[in-house]
């Protein structure tokens, strides 16, 4: 079964806001959420989006110069 | 801009002045101290700050709830607006500080080590000179390239000061005393040709003059938010150009960043490496409104108006007997800052009389730039400085000129 949502982890809040802007500009629906504890002990925020947009999101972020700390599927 | 003073504020001013009298009832203030801080601010600035305090208020990057995220968006939007204004590239390399001074300290102390050589100029503000002199005591070598008596940096003198071991050239974009504009592009070419870092102190020019970090080869740009960007005090920053390797620049402070919380060491990436502790988001909300206002109005447009007022001020002052005006005397080569003296009367007396008797607010003395006054031959007496901003009008300059004319006659000049 395919997961509904993915999250992308980035270095900092500033990176997360930049990533959110880039993704929204590219038409990818997304939302800032606290980093799920099981993915990282970092207390920052990450960007949640539909799993079907995963490859597009990766491309948009790479083009925008955002170094990610991985894109993870969110189990429901 | 004329501020028609009324009510409580007026009474306070009248009480404060020895010569308080009814004539103050009709006096309007002429604010000519924009080189210290711009005033008034565009109404959008106070509105944005009020809106932040009333409707957002949260700590950015510390929680992840909607208000924290909104706060973080304001901070990021400000980075983006600043990066766009200076053609800086990546907004994440805009690091916010309390003011230009802190940004300059970060650049100098972060970059220079014992044994390194730095070049600066004879018109610097103490925000550059004092940290450099302190570094000198710790083994950094310093050369001060001489400037013309009118306050202009000579790029050849800068180039000649460079030697093996030089790491940085630190130059003020424009003198805070006489407004003389440095040939940044030429100095940038020198720095680039020799593989050196160029730090520009844009305290007097960010928002007032066109600044393009990529075109002009500026590696580090220190700016303040509360002067020609029309934001509030307590805002400013250091912009890192693409050639700067941030792993080689130490932060001034370390602490909580909201990122890498599991680590007890400072994050290695910008902006977090240099931004510890809760940022001044209410100030940045105001700065964002200020930068947007400047961009909407246009740096070129603001500059044109200021040049007209500056030339009017220079020419008008020079026409008054006993007045000496310093600098290049050409508005095209300076910011909207004009320094002068009146024969037979000290600058402190002049400043007091301009304020109390004429409602003209300016700054007198050495302007935190002793080396610039030595260069111009006005040390230690100092000068009177009129500095104009986007809200000043020709009538303001007329009022200031007629006040100086009356004081010069009174001084028996």
């Amino acid at each position: 079964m395919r997961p509904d949502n993915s999250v992308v982890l980035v270095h900092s809040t500033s990176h997360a806001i930049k990533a959110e802007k880039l993704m929204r500009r590219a038409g990818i629906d997304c939302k800032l959420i606290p980093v799920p504890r099981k993915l990282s002990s970092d207390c920052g925020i990450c960007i949640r989006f539909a799993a079907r947009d995963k490859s597009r999101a990766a491309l948009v972020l790479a083009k925008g110069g955002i170094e990610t700390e991985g894109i993870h599927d969110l189990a429901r | 801009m004329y501020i028609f003073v009324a009510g409580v504020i007026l009474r306070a001013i009248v009480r404060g002045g020895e010569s308080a009298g009814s004539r103050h009832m009709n006096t309007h203030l002429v604010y000519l101290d924009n080189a210290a801080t711009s005033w008034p601010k565009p109404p959008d600035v106070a509105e944005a700050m009020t809106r932040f305090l009333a409707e957002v208020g949260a700590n950015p990057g510390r929680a992840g709830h909607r208000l924290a995220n909104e706060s973080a968006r304001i901070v990021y939007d400000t980075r983006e607006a600043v990066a766009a204004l200076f053609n800086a590239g990546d907004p994440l390399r805009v690091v916010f500080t309390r003011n230009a001074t802190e940004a300059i300290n970060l650049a100098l102390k972060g970059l220079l080590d014992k044994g390194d050589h730095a070049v600066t100029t004879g018109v610097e503000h103490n925000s550059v000179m004092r940290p450099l002199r302190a570094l000198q005591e710790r083994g950094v070598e310093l050369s001060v390239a001489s400037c013309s008596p009118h306050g202009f940096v000579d790029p050849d003198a800068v180039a000649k000061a460079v030697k093996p071991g030089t790491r940085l050239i630190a130059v003020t974009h424009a003198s805070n005393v006489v407004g003389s504009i440095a040939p940044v592009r030429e100095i940038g070419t020198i720095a680039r040709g020799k593989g050196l870092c160029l730090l520009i102190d844009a305290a007097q020019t960010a928002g007032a003059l066109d600044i393009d970090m990529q075109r002009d080869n500026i590696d580090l740009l220190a700016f303040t938010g509360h002067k020609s960007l029309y934001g509030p005090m307590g805002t400013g920053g250091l912009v890192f150009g693409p050639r700067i390797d941030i792993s080689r620049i130490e932060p001034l402070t370390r602490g909580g960043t909201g990122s890498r919380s599991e680590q007890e060491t400072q994050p290695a990436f910008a902006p977090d490496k240099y931004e510890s502790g809760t940022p001044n988001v209410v100030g940045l909300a105001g700065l964002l409104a200020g930068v947007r206002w400047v961009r909407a109005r246009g740096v070129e447009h603001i500059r044109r108006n200021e040049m007209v007022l500056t030339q009017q001020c220079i020419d008008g002052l020079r026409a008054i007997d006993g007045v000496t005006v310093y600098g290049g005397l050409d508005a095209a080569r300076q910011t909207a800052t004009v320094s002068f003296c009146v024969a037979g009367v000290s600058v402190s007396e002049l400043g007091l009389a301009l304020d109390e008797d004429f409602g003209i607010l300016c700054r007198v003395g050495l302007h935190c730039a002793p080396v610039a006054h030595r260069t111009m031959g006005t040390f230690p007496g100092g000068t009177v400085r009129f500095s104009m901003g986007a809200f000043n009008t020709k009538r303001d300059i007329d009022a200031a000129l007629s006040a100086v004319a009356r004081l010069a006659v009174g001084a028996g000049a």
Side-chain angles (χ1 to χ4, degrees):
Chain A
M1 209 181 81
R2 282 166 54 130
D4 290 330
N5 282 319
S6 298
V7 291
V8 56
L9 270 52
V10 293
H11 291 327
S12 73
T13 301
S14 306
H15 291 80
I17 303 289
K18 183 178 179 182
E20 181 196 38
K21 278 203 161 196
L22 290 169
M23 287 168 69
R24 288 202 171 148
R25 269 179 212 151
I28 301 170
D29 193 27
C30 61
K31 183 177 162 57
L32 296 170
I33 62 164
V35 174
R37 301 302 293 176
K38 62 188 169 198
L39 292 180
S40 166
S41 57
D42 188 88
C43 61
I45 50 176
C46 61
I47 307 101
R48 187 181 71 192
F49 55 96
R52 64 175 178 277
D53 290 327
K54 219 190 307 187
S55 56
R56 219 151 55 89
L59 192 68
V60 165
L61 296 179
K63 273 171 101 176
I66 298 259
E67 201 180 305
T68 78
E69 295 178 6
I71 297 180
H72 307 267
D73 291 330
L74 277 191
R76 295 194 72 183
Chain B
M1 182 180 176
Y2 285 81
I3 309 299
F4 293 92
V5 182
V8 175
I9 299 168
L10 173 67
R11 283 195 292 278
I13 289 170
V14 168
R15 264 193 230 110
E18 246 175 69
S19 57
S22 60
R23 65 200 168 87
H24 282 281
M25 299 301 286
N26 298 319
T27 300
H28 27 236
L29 299 181
V30 175
Y31 183 83
L32 294 180
D33 198 14
N34 288 277
T37 195
S38 59
W39 190 79
K41 307 293 185 187
D44 317 21
V45 173
E47 280 165 25
M49 295 172 77
T50 304
R51 197 181 321 122
F52 174 79
L53 289 173
E55 295 170 23
V56 184
N59 200 328
R62 300 293 194 273
H65 57 69
R66 69 188 76 185
L67 291 182
N69 292 344
E70 192 49 35
S71 181
R73 281 187 197 101
I74 290 168
V75 177
Y76 184 80
D77 286 350
T78 313
R79 292 189 210 282
E80 212 171 44
V82 166
L85 183 67
F86 302 138
N87 191 24
D90 188 355
L92 296 180
R93 290 170 73 93
V94 175
V95 165
F96 292 121
T97 58
R98 285 185 302 151
N99 44 41
T101 297
E102 192 175 67
I104 292 163
N105 272 267
L106 166 57
L108 296 175
K109 292 176 185 163
L111 189 77
L112 294 170
D113 286 323
K114 191 175 176 176
D116 288 337
H117 174 245
V119 177
T120 191
T121 81
V123 287
E124 300 303 314
H125 189 274
N126 270 344
S127 56
V128 172
M129 203 52 94
R130 285 181 173 171
L132 280 173
R133 291 298 183 199
L135 285 163
Q136 211 178 0
E137 285 176 14
R138 283 185 245 156
V140 169
E141 218 188 324
L142 179 65
S143 300
V144 181
S146 62
C147 298
S148 81
H150 301 313
F152 290 97
V153 176
D154 174 7
D156 290 337
V158 171
K160 279 196 193 112
V162 172
K163 58 184 188 179
T166 305
R167 219 170 142 199
L168 173 82
I169 300 175
V171 179
T172 184
H173 192 178
S175 160
N176 68 307
V177 178
V178 280
S180 48
I181 298 168
V184 168
R185 206 175 307 179
E186 285 176 75
I187 297 168
T189 305
I190 293 165
R192 183 59 54 101
K194 297 178 188 284
L196 310 174
C197 277
L198 175 61
L199 165 66
I200 294 295
D201 166 12
Q204 293 296 321
T205 57
L209 299 180
D210 176 40
I211 295 176
D212 185 321
M213 289 182 68
Q214 298 188 37
R215 177 195 68 202
D216 296 342
N217 291 322
I218 299 169
D219 297 306
L220 294 160
L221 185 82
F223 69 94
T224 183
H226 70 95
K227 294 181 180 177
S228 299
L229 294 177
Y230 293 89
M233 297 176 199
T235 59
L238 184 65
V239 188
F240 293 79
R243 284 201 312 157
I244 294 290
D245 174 2
I246 69 157
S247 71
R248 298 192 63 190
I249 300 193
E250 285 291 297
L252 287 178
T253 53
R254 293 174 174 82
T257 57
S259 53
R260 293 281 194 279
S261 295
E262 74 283 8
Q263 292 178 6
E264 293 184 8
T265 54
Q266 192 73 3
F269 50 83
D272 295 35
K273 181 175 180 180
Y274 306 105
E275 290 182 357
S276 293
T278 298
N280 175 16
V281 188
V282 63
L284 294 175
L287 176 59
L288 176 59
V291 173
R292 283 180 173 161
W293 182 86
V294 166
R295 292 183 74 201
R297 187 170 266 225
V299 172
E300 285 292 310
H301 174 78
I302 295 171
R303 170 74 178 142
R304 265 199 307 277
N305 288 339
E306 287 186 355
M307 270 173 60
V308 170
L309 299 182
T310 303
Q311 200 61 55
Q312 182 195 353
C313 186
I314 292 167
D315 295 346
L317 286 169
R318 292 182 74 197
I320 300 168
D321 276 346
V323 173
T324 306
V325 184
Y326 297 93
L329 308 178
D330 177 3
R333 298 177 67 205
Q334 69 186 70
T335 55
T337 291
V338 179
S339 249
F340 66 96
C341 285
V342 177
V345 51
S346 75
V347 297
S348 50
E349 287 172 84
L350 273 171
L352 187 63
L354 284 166
D355 177 5
E356 289 200 327
D357 300 338
F358 299 94
I360 289 160
L361 313 180
C362 62
R363 181 169 175 194
V364 303
L366 292 176
H367 313 96
C368 297
V371 70
H373 280 280
R374 283 198 181 91
T375 291
M376 296 190 315
T378 48
F379 185 89
T383 55
V384 181
R385 181 183 74 180
F386 285 168
S387 52
M388 284 67 79
F391 292 100
N392 285 118
T393 63
K394 288 182 131 181
R395 281 181 65 199
D396 290 348
I397 308 303
D398 288 339
L401 292 172
S402 91
V404 173
R406 282 178 59 184
L407 291 169
V409 170

